[in-house]
Amino acid sequence: MTPASEPRWLTEAEQDAWYAWRRMFPLVNAEIARDLGQDSGLSEADYDVLSVLGSTDGHRMRISALAELMQWSRSRLSHQLTRMEQRGVVRREDVATDGRGAEVVLTAAGVAAITDAAPLHVESVRRHLIDILTPQQLQALAEVGEVLRHHLKAPRKGRP
Amino acid sequence: MTPASEPRWLTEAEQDAWYAWRRMFPLVNAEIARDLGQDSGLSEADYDVLSVLGSTDGHRMRISALAELMQWSRSRLSHQLTRMEQRGVVRREDVATDGRGAEVVLTAAGVAAITDAAPLHVESVRRHLIDILTPQQLQALAEVGEVLRHHLKAPRKGRP
DNA sequence: GCGCAGTTGTTGATGTGTCACCTAATGAAA
DNA sequence: TTTCATTAGGTGACACATCAACAACTGCGC
């Protein structure tokens, strides 16, 4: 087989972007996750599930649909729902039209949890991210996210 | 106690930035981590430790210094080093000047692992992030990282 | 020297994500 | 109807991160 050619190492500017990328996300998210735990006793995973369910009508959703919407594996969601079910914030229900399927439903406690948590969480996100950046910087983030998401769906070329 | 005032919900533009933030990082990093595992049999944590040690002279470092440099807890690093030591890529050594202390040293296998992995990893990072974005977007990322990192060290104001 | 607070590094328990594998049900083809 | 590939969802083993607790050692004040 042919020997690998010398790789294109990162330039100074590229390294800056790469290190920023690697560092900023875990740091900021850790702050937000810490707030969420202290303020509301929820993990980020808890919050994400609750907030999606909270914005559906009937506060319910087919499990596989929820997994796809959140871009989670079914396995991960199943484990997460088991934990949340034990804590009483969601409930599983069989669905009549498909014997294999199941739905998740928010319990009253679940509705209360997300209703209480949401305002505090928004403030936390503002404090640690949104209010720190300029509108231009926020727009740049959204733009980068758009480009990357688009590229994931349709990669320009496969592995060399 | 006083009732909480209505929170400042996110505007459309702010939501775009927030969703981009939440989604792009895990997705892109999962791609890069997957490449790393397939190409080199390493986790991201493995790679980070190996690459830091590989760029020190003597291929060795005091454990607490390594933890601080990587912004890891000592506990996390200790567990990680135990796993890596079992796989033979690093070795722990007592340090003479301080009976409490210890150093990590790359083994020959460790040097080979990082030497082999680095070029493939750079290509992967280019493929999934760097080469997709324009120089302006890369600079924006670096700038945002800088602002956020600076803010973490000196928050403008405490919790209201 | 003696006592003691602080540091270094490790360990075990717990919670979570991933992977491979499993069962049950579906729907379509033979 | 019988077969069979596919789909929905769950389970158990493992890898990893975090937390609290711990032992060993240091270096300072006395």
Side-chain angles (χ1 to χ4, degrees), chain B residues 29-158:
Chain B
N29 260 48
E31 299 279 318
I32 295 175
R34 193 174 45 76
D35 279 357
L36 194 52
Q38 288 179 356
D39 292 345
S40 314
L42 299 174
S43 68
E44 286 197 288
D46 293 334
Y47 186 90
D48 287 345
V49 170
L50 290 176
S51 73
V52 170
L53 285 178
S55 59
T56 60
D57 51 333
H59 290 163
R60 69 175 55 230
M61 189 178 261
R62 186 68 180 261
I63 289 182
S64 57
L66 181 57
E68 191 179 6
L69 178 63
M70 299 182 69
Q71 309 242 46
W72 281 21
S73 72
R74 277 197 277 277
S75 173
R76 178 183 179 187
L77 182 56
S78 182
H79 284 298
Q80 177 73 28
L81 291 180
T82 299
R83 289 185 295 259
M84 293 177 76
E85 199 169 18
Q86 282 167 356
R87 285 165 33 217
V89 292
V90 300
R91 191 176 60 242
R92 283 187 238 238
E93 286 185 7
D94 290 347
V95 55
T97 61
D98 188 336
R100 301 164 296 186
E103 285 181 332
V104 225
V105 194
L106 278 188
T107 63
V111 175
I114 188 60
T115 305
D116 292 349
L120 298 168
H121 186 246
V122 172
E123 292 297 340
S124 175
V125 169
R126 286 202 169 279
R127 204 160 47 236
H128 296 300
L129 182 71
I130 300 293
D131 286 354
I132 299 172
L133 301 176
T134 66
Q136 291 77 30
Q137 289 167 336
L138 290 176
Q139 197 200 325
L141 277 183
E143 182 186 315
V144 167
E146 184 65 25
V147 171
L148 293 177
R149 197 169 41 124
H150 183 266
H151 188 267
L152 271 182
K153 290 183 180 174
R156 299 274 170 83
K157 52 179 181 180

Side-chain angles (χ1 to χ4, degrees), chain A residues 36-85:
Chain A
L36 194 54
Q38 289 179 356
D39 293 344
S40 315
L42 299 174
S43 68
E44 287 196 286
D46 293 334
Y47 186 91
D48 287 345
V49 171
L50 291 177
S51 72
V52 170
L53 286 178
S55 59
T56 61
D57 51 331
H59 291 162
R60 70 175 54 231
M61 188 177 261
R62 187 67 181 260
I63 289 183
S64 57
L66 182 56
E68 191 179 4
L69 180 62
M70 299 181 69
Q71 308 243 45
W72 281 20
S73 71
R74 279 198 281 275
S75 172
R76 179 183 178 186
L77 182 55
S78 181
H79 284 300
Q80 176 73 27
L81 290 180
T82 300
R83 278 172 252 142
M84 295 177 75
E85 199 168 19

Side-chain angles (χ1 to χ4, degrees), chain A residues 29-145:
Chain A
N29 261 47
E31 299 278 318
I32 295 175
R34 195 174 44 76
D35 280 358
L36 194 54
Q38 289 179 356
D39 293 344
S40 315
L42 299 174
S43 68
E44 287 196 286
D46 293 334
Y47 186 91
D48 287 345
V49 171
L50 291 177
S51 72
V52 170
L53 286 178
S55 59
T56 61
D57 51 331
H59 291 162
R60 70 175 54 231
M61 188 177 261
R62 187 67 181 260
I63 289 183
S64 57
L66 182 56
E68 191 179 4
L69 180 62
M70 299 181 69
Q71 308 243 45
W72 281 20
S73 71
R74 279 198 281 275
S75 172
R76 179 183 178 186
L77 182 55
S78 181
H79 284 300
Q80 176 73 27
L81 290 180
T82 300
R83 278 172 252 142
M84 295 177 75
E85 199 168 19
Q86 282 166 357
R87 286 164 34 218
V89 290
V90 300
R91 191 176 58 243
R92 282 188 238 239
E93 287 185 5
D94 289 346
V95 54
T97 60
D98 188 336
R100 301 165 297 183
E103 284 181 332
V104 225
V105 194
L106 278 188
T107 63
V111 175
I114 188 59
T115 305
D116 292 350
L120 298 167
H121 186 246
V122 172
E123 292 297 340
S124 175
V125 169
R126 285 202 170 279
R127 206 161 45 236
H128 297 301
L129 182 71
I130 300 293
D131 286 353
I132 298 172
L133 301 175
T134 66
Q136 292 77 30
Q137 288 167 337
L138 290 176
Q139 197 199 327
L141 277 183
E143 182 185 316
V144 167

